[in-house]
Amino acid sequence: MPKNSKMIKKELEDEVIESAKDLLSNEDAADDAFKKSELIVDVQKENHTDAKVSNIKDERRGWNNRLQYILAQIGFSVGLGNVWRFPYLCQKNGGGAYLLPFFILLMIVGVPLFFLELALGQRIRRGSIGVWNYISPKLGGIGFTSCVVSLFVSLYYNVIIGWSVFYFSQSFQFPLPWDNCPMVKNATHSLVEPECEKSSDTTYYWYRKALDISSSISESGGLNWKMAVSLLVAWAMVCFAMIKGIQSSEKIVYFSSLSPYVILICFLVRSLFLEGSIYGIRHMFTPQLEKMLEPQAWREAAVQVFFALDLGFGGVIAFSSYNKRDNNCQFDAVLVPLVNFFTSILATLVVFAVLGFKANIINKKCIEENAIMIQKLLKMGNIPQAIIPPHTKFSTITAEAYHEIYDIIKRVKGEEFPALHLRSCKVEDELNKEAQGIGLAFIAFTEAMTHFPLAPLWSVLFFLMLINLGLSSMFGFIEGVITPVVDSFKVSKELVTVICCLLAFCIGLIFVQRSGNYFVTMFDDYSATLPLLIVVIFENIAVSFVYGTDKFMEDLRDMMGFAPYRYYYYLWKYITPLVLLSLLIISTVNMILSPPGYDAWNKDKASKEFLRYPTWAMVICISLVVLALLPIPAVFIIRCFNLMENSSGNLASMAYKRGRVLKDPVNLEGDDASLIHENSSEMSSPNLGKNIYRKQSGSPMLDTAPNGRYGIGYLMADVADMPDLPESDL
């Protein structure tokens, strides 16, 4: 039976008077408090005569346990880039010498910014739009930009998963379809496909069979139906995994996050037993210290840190928003980046071992071909027989013996040596050849796997790993889009997920044309790098200088129950902003000075050649950057000049006002014991430092906190309407 007002008054008098901060911490202590709550919003009419309270339910299910949350964050940060981009940059920038700048920048840029996003999502319990509206309404465009960039990246990122799905489906064959070059018939006999013979079997399969690539971005060539179906499968997997939000994705997070480590370890053990793998490992840990002093190495290390932790996408904020407010996010902010770093090291060990094995095979073939050439030159008299060591056997010549003969011939022939067209055939030369980005997985790895025993098994495991790595990151990208939309407009999450995935698949068809690979390169270069960097800079500025670093540190102390390390204070306020601004300047200058173009596949030469973007493609490149960044100035102008009304009472207009999560208000009309009363223009905001448990009169409703105690929420008030209102704690 409902309690009468006297009973309520008696219970209220027995309550211990507490501050609002104590109340919030008590509410957060309940296990179920964060899973289902109700947000009380006070909406004012312009004439301030009739005030009403709009009750908007905000049901938000939390993670089942802490392990699922950690695995989800690790799965989001550990992705395809750990397998090919990090090893490529390590190879390009001096091997082990690259690890030091990467680790330093991880500590002074990656960890503090990752901690910042974790703390904001966990405290405010909203997606990126709601979080940045809360921090500063005028900077609310940061959240919209994060959503746009997440959508852009997910469009082409899932295409890469589609490629992996295609290769996975082709791996159940023996021999593997990319094991040998195809044969073509002419009028008299069969010949090896010339394009394949000029390049390699795996390169030919990638460009001609898988992508069926056109010669330029201007030549569409129509849809590649094999890749279109693979893309549909990839988006279907994402949709089914995310349709119930974290309720569904948490069911597969164990598999998608942990299985890649099992497969990587299996690959590492197997690759270490391959002949020549030691060359690759030695090459990785032989630092070229002179490259560490180059600014380019530090710039690329900073960019890799930036992308490795997926900062600015909104996915980190979205995942942490389902967490308990008293979770130790400071520990998470160190754990996840370190796991990411060691995962990159593990993947790089596997990659360099495989590259060493591949380089050794190519080097042996080179020695055999050049040994035959030396024998021909000896018979022709171009090389004197006397200079060749008598014990040499060209049929079983070793690498050491070949290099000895090569050096002798080079010394004896002098200026005539280049005309002999002999190659040095050194493993180091092969390892120094850059296998960039996607080519590392779909060309270098596939070629190495053709020499593995049980090659189809290893191929299945490898591409299954790529699919899992990609999906775990896609969950974060899609969550960064869906969560802010659902939080802002209170629409069905299932409906938003289906519409988002269906729309993304339709747009993604441009990536599965015969020219689609060139559009993937375009989106990768222009839709993410600069916009995300600007987003992260604004995030740092919004918290450190608009909201206030001191206030934010105090909020973290109240939330976690202990003060965070002072180390973060100086990073957020001084060091990280300076590093980010320097990176922005360097990246902008590099983008301006670098010719805008892409590597196109030349069928006749069977090799890549650099082409400039046509005018229409340049318009698309610029539009991608502008569309991604447009919400930041647009929202700033709209809210500075009040160009849109915020009195509709829905979450879209309410999101940037101060609020508090409450549960199940009980309307008791005429009951003077209610703690929540209508908001009016004369009402002041509650002061967090003062006692708020007191009897009120003339209040229409009573609310109960999630832990069963009587509580009060922050009365919603627009900052613009109350200029003297002090900023409240998070």
Side-chain angles (χ1 to χ4, degrees), residues 409-457:
I409 296 174
K410 186 177 181 179
R411 185 173 60 254
V412 170
K413 299 299 290 185
E415 296 180 356
E416 300 177 5
F417 180 78
L420 300 178
H421 302 292
L422 294 176
R423 289 184 292 170
S424 60
C425 297
K426 293 182 178 179
V427 175
E428 290 75 13
D429 295 337
E430 292 296 329
L431 289 171
N432 285 326
K433 292 181 180 178
E434 298 172 3
Q436 183 176 2
I438 298 169
L440 186 60
F442 295 100
I443 297 177
F445 255 99
T446 52
E447 184 172 343
M449 283 185 292
T450 59
H451 300 280
F452 283 18
L454 300 175
L457 173 63

Side-chain angles (χ1 to χ4, degrees), residues 468-700:
N468 285 331
L469 286 172
L471 285 178
S472 59
S473 294
M474 277 297 297
F475 295 157
F477 294 138
I478 298 301
E479 197 69 47
V481 176
I482 293 174
T483 298
V485 173
V486 173
D487 286 345
S488 298
F489 302 103
K490 304 311 296 178
V491 292
S492 168
K493 189 155 195 173
E494 292 84 355
L495 180 62
V496 173
T497 302
V498 172
I499 293 176
C500 178
C501 292
L502 183 60
L503 179 63
F505 167 72
C506 294
I507 299 175
L509 291 177
I510 66 172
F511 301 109
V512 291
Q513 304 174 93
R514 291 183 58 206
S515 60
N517 187 50
Y518 307 137
F519 285 95
V520 170
T521 302
M522 175 193 293
F523 270 67
D524 188 36
D525 291 340
Y526 290 93
S527 69
T529 305
L530 190 62
L532 279 178
L533 181 55
I534 293 176
V535 165
V536 173
I537 291 174
F538 272 102
E539 287 182 356
N540 200 160
I541 292 174
V543 172
S544 299
F545 301 101
V546 177
Y547 187 80
T549 310
D550 294 300
K551 190 183 301 182
F552 187 60
M553 294 287 286
E554 180 65 19
D555 290 333
L556 294 179
R557 187 189 66 80
D558 292 336
M559 180 177 70
M560 297 187 298
F562 60 90
Y565 295 125
R566 197 68 179 172
Y567 162 83
Y568 293 106
Y569 176 89
Y570 297 106
L571 287 175
W572 284 329
K573 195 163 187 177
Y574 304 111
I575 300 175
T576 304
L578 289 177
V579 174
L580 290 174
L581 289 173
S582 301
L583 179 60
L584 176 62
I585 294 172
I586 295 173
S587 299
T588 304
V589 171
N590 183 70
M591 184 175 292
I592 294 173
L593 297 180
S594 300
Y598 60 101
D599 290 323
W601 180 253
N602 188 310
K603 181 179 180 180
D604 297 328
K605 298 178 180 178
S607 62
K608 293 186 294 184
E609 62 177 354
F610 183 81
L611 297 179
R612 299 289 293 265
Y613 283 119
T615 303
W616 63 267
M618 282 303 305
V619 172
I620 295 178
C621 294
I622 297 173
S623 299
L624 290 174
V625 177
V626 172
L627 286 175
L629 295 176
L630 184 61
I632 295 178
V635 172
F636 183 83
I637 294 172
I638 288 172
R639 291 180 178 169
C640 271
F641 298 98
N642 294 321
L643 300 181
M644 293 179 64
E645 294 292 337
N646 291 318
S647 59
S648 61
N650 58 30
L651 274 178
S653 62
M654 174 277 305
Y656 62 88
K657 299 180 180 182
R658 303 293 186 259
R660 174 59 196 151
V661 176
L662 299 172
K663 178 183 178 183
D664 298 335
V666 181
N667 293 327
L668 299 174
E669 293 184 5
D671 190 342
D672 61 355
S674 175
L675 294 181
I676 301 292
H677 51 275
E678 293 180 359
N679 191 14
S680 65
S681 59
E682 294 82 15
M683 184 177 297
S684 60
S685 177
N687 191 329
L688 292 179
K690 297 180 180 179
N691 299 330
I692 61 170
Y693 276 105
R694 60 186 186 278
K695 290 184 286 184
Q696 301 285 350
S697 61
S699 299

Side-chain angles (χ1 to χ4, degrees), residues 77 102 106-107 110-111 114 309 331-342:
S77 67
F102 179 85
L106 182 70
M107 291 294 104
V111 171
F114 192 71
L309 298 179
F331 176 78
D332 301 342
V334 177
L335 175 64
V336 175
L338 287 181
V339 170
N340 185 292
F341 176 69
F342 288 114

Side-chain angles (χ1 to χ4, degrees), residues 253-481:
V253 71
Y254 291 107
F255 179 76
S256 64
S257 297
L258 294 177
S259 61
Y261 291 96
V262 177
I263 297 174
L264 276 176
I265 292 173
C266 291
F267 260 92
L268 179 61
V269 173
R270 179 66 188 91
S271 60
L272 289 177
F273 287 97
L274 296 173
E275 184 181 0
S277 61
I278 190 64
Y279 296 128
I281 301 296
R282 186 174 61 193
H283 184 77
M284 173 184 172
F285 287 106
T286 303
Q288 302 174 30
L289 298 178
E290 66 278 3
K291 288 193 174 182
M292 192 174 66
L293 302 178
E294 297 177 2
Q296 181 75 2
W298 288 84
R299 186 188 73 83
E300 293 187 342
V303 172
Q304 178 61 16
V305 167
F306 183 68
F307 280 100
L309 298 179
D310 295 301
L311 300 171
F313 284 103
V316 174
I317 294 176
F319 278 154
S320 63
S321 71
Y322 295 98
N323 225 350
K324 297 168 96 173
R325 280 197 182 87
D326 59 353
N327 175 62
N328 185 359
C329 56
Q330 179 177 251
F331 176 78
D332 301 342
V334 177
L335 175 64
V336 175
L338 287 181
V339 170
N340 185 292
F341 176 69
F342 288 114
T343 303
S344 297
I345 298 296
L346 175 61
T348 304
L349 282 171
V350 175
V351 168
F352 272 80
V354 170
L355 289 179
F357 169 66
K358 177 176 175 288
N360 186 60
I361 292 175
I362 296 175
N363 193 60
K364 281 186 174 181
K365 185 178 179 181
C366 174
I367 291 175
E368 291 173 1
E369 292 175 350
N370 282 266
I372 294 174
M373 189 179 298
I374 291 174
Q375 287 179 292
K376 291 181 179 179
L377 293 172
L378 288 171
K379 291 179 180 180
M380 295 171 60
N382 293 336
I383 299 176
Q385 183 69 45
I387 67 173
I388 304 299
H391 60 275
T392 302
K393 294 182 179 180
F394 286 100
S395 58
T396 58
I397 191 170
T398 63
E400 293 77 10
Y402 173 79
H403 293 147
E404 181 184 357
I405 295 173
Y406 177 86
D407 292 337
I408 293 173
I409 296 174
K410 186 177 181 179
R411 185 173 60 254
V412 170
K413 299 299 290 185
E415 296 180 356
E416 300 177 5
F417 180 78
L420 300 178
H421 302 292
L422 294 176
R423 289 184 292 170
S424 60
C425 297
K426 293 182 178 179
V427 175
E428 290 75 13
D429 295 337
E430 292 296 329
L431 289 171
N432 285 326
K433 292 181 180 178
E434 298 172 3
Q436 183 176 2
I438 298 169
L440 186 60
F442 295 100
I443 297 177
F445 255 99
T446 52
E447 184 172 343
M449 283 185 292
T450 59
H451 300 280
F452 283 18
L454 300 175
L457 173 63
W458 292 104
S459 182
V460 167
L461 290 175
F462 177 73
F463 289 108
L464 180 63
M465 178 189 70
L466 290 188
I467 292 171
N468 285 331
L469 286 172
L471 285 178
S472 59
S473 294
M474 277 297 297
F475 295 157
F477 294 138
I478 298 301
E479 197 69 47
V481 176

